[in-house]
Amino acid sequence: MIDPLFWLGLSLLLVATSLTAVLVAAIPALQELARAARSAEKLFDTLSRELPPTLEAIRMTGLEITDLTDDVSEGVKSASQVVKQVDQSLDNARKQAQNVQLGTRSIVVGVKAAWKTFTRQKPLRRTVEHLPINEKSPLTLREREALRQENRRTKAEPYRTNDSYSDPASWEASFEDRD
């Protein structure tokens, strides 16, 4: 058949042609790869120049935010203390106002009582007819008992009322009317 050297030469020729075709096709791809490598190198240079200051700025911003948070929390604490002090001042003012009101009521009641006492007509003095001691007739046992009974009733009457205790509004209303 045919010579093996021929087949060997033909195979080498086909391999060389294939390699040439691959190289011709790979040249534009290699050029794009070189261009991409240069772009990546520029990107890495830019990142190495810009990234540390940016990271430092971000770190400083975080520290400033932490400081501001601390300041705000201190402000909130001081504001709550101020609110507590104002609340205590209001409570003290309310108590003082109640004391003044109570004092004013006492003064008004005192002035009213003094005015009533000052403006009331003085009763005419009654002359009591005294019997001489020897002219008084001695009391009998029944008369003495009757006097004792009357004295007991008159002493206890201010404490007794005809109203029942189940109606406290009547005595409260009369107490408020007197004020």
Side-chain angles (χ1 to χ4, degrees):
M1 289 218 324
I2 306 186
D3 191 16
L5 282 177
F6 172 74
W7 288 113
L8 180 67
L10 186 64
S11 328
L12 285 173
L13 180 69
L14 286 176
V15 169
T17 308
S18 298
L19 283 174
T20 306
V22 168
L23 283 175
V24 169
I27 288 176
L30 291 174
Q31 287 175 344
E32 288 298 319
L33 190 60
R35 208 176 294 141
R38 274 183 262 135
S39 295
E41 185 180 354
K42 286 180 183 178
L43 175 67
F44 294 139
D45 286 342
T46 304
L47 285 177
S48 68
R49 276 184 277 129
E50 298 292 327
L51 196 57
T54 304
L55 291 176
E56 182 66 24
I58 290 172
R59 187 179 69 81
M60 292 301 292
T61 304
L63 292 174
E64 290 173 357
I65 288 173
T66 303
D67 290 342
L68 288 175
T69 304
D70 292 341
D71 291 344
V72 167
S73 64
E74 287 176 13
V76 167
K77 286 179 185 177
S78 65
S80 67
Q81 289 174 350
V82 167
V83 167
K84 286 179 185 177
Q85 289 175 352
V86 167
D87 190 37
Q88 288 174 351
S89 298
L90 287 176
D91 287 342
N92 289 340
R94 187 178 303 121
K95 288 177 185 176
Q96 289 175 355
Q98 289 173 349
N99 289 340
V100 166
Q101 186 179 17
L102 183 63
T104 304
R105 281 186 187 168
S106 300
I107 290 172
V108 168
V109 168
V111 168
K112 282 182 181 178
W115 183 254
K116 285 181 183 178
T117 303
F118 182 70
T119 58
R120 80 170 179 202
Q121 294 179 354
K122 296 184 181 180
L124 299 174
R125 297 210 175 229
R126 294 188 214 168
T127 56
V128 180
E129 297 178 9
H130 292 286
L131 291 175
I133 294 175
N134 55 4
E135 290 183 18
K136 284 186 183 178
S137 62
L139 295 175
T140 64
L141 185 62
R142 283 189 181 177
E143 290 174 339
R144 284 187 207 154
E145 280 297 318
L147 282 175
R148 283 185 194 159
Q149 291 289 335
E150 287 177 18
N151 286 341
R152 286 184 192 155
R153 267 191 239 130
T154 57
K155 288 180 183 176
E157 276 181 10
Y159 300 104
R160 292 186 195 159
T161 59
N162 293 336
D163 296 336
S164 66
Y165 185 70
S166 63
D167 188 21
S170 63
W171 65 269
E172 286 177 351
S174 65
F175 179 72
E176 290 174 357
D177 290 342
R178 279 187 254 157
D179 285 346

